């Protein structure tokens, strides 16, 4: 759990959340540059009270899992990629904003 802080996935970082839960409370999540994040195998990635920003060539792949954003916005910029496969993407109390 990350409480009250921000999470940055940037440069060439590669992250896999597998059969696990990751919670960000009252913080923002940033996907940028060429970062690659995979959420798989019944995992939950939850952002509560923060915003999610994607930019550059970042990629977020969700396979058989769930990405939950509560009371925050998701902003897609540049050439970022979001891929869902047998997964859920829940945004409550916020907006999905597509730019560039």
């Amino acid at each position: 759990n990350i409480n009250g802080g921000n999470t940055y996935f940037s440069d060439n970082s590669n992250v896999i959340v597998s059969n696990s839960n990751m919670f960000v409370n009252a913080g923002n999540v940033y996907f940028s540059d060429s970062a690659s994040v995979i959420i798989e195998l019944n995992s939950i990635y939850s952002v509560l009270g923060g915003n999610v920003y994607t930019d550059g060539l970042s990629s977020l792949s969700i396979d058989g899992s769930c990405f939950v954003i509560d009371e925050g916005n998701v902003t897609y910029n540049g050439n970022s990629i979001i891929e869902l496969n047998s997964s859920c993407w829940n945004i409550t109390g916020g907006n999905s904003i597509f730019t560039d």
Side-chain angles (χ1 to χ4, degrees), residues 24 27-29 45-52 67-71:
V24 178
N28 296 317
V29 178
Y45 193 150
S46 175
V47 180
L48 174 62
N51 296 301
V52 176
F67 193 65
V68 179
I69 300 97
D70 192 10
E71 299 301 323

Side-chain angles (χ1 to χ4, degrees), residues 51 69 72-76 91-97:
N51 296 301
I69 300 97
N73 295 316
V74 180
T75 303
Y76 313 90
I91 301 172
T92 56
N95 299 299
S96 286
I97 303 163

Side-chain angles (χ1 to χ4, degrees), residues 33-78:
D33 304 320
S34 295
S36 172
V37 177
I38 299 171
I39 303 168
E40 64 181 6
L41 299 175
N42 299 313
S43 297
I44 297 173
Y45 193 150
S46 175
V47 180
L48 174 62
N51 296 301
V52 176
Y53 302 96
T54 66
D55 201 0
L57 297 172
S58 63
S59 66
L60 172 61
S61 177
I62 305 169
D63 189 9
S65 297
C66 202
F67 193 65
V68 179
I69 300 97
D70 192 10
E71 299 301 323
N73 295 316
V74 180
T75 303
Y76 313 90
N77 288 310

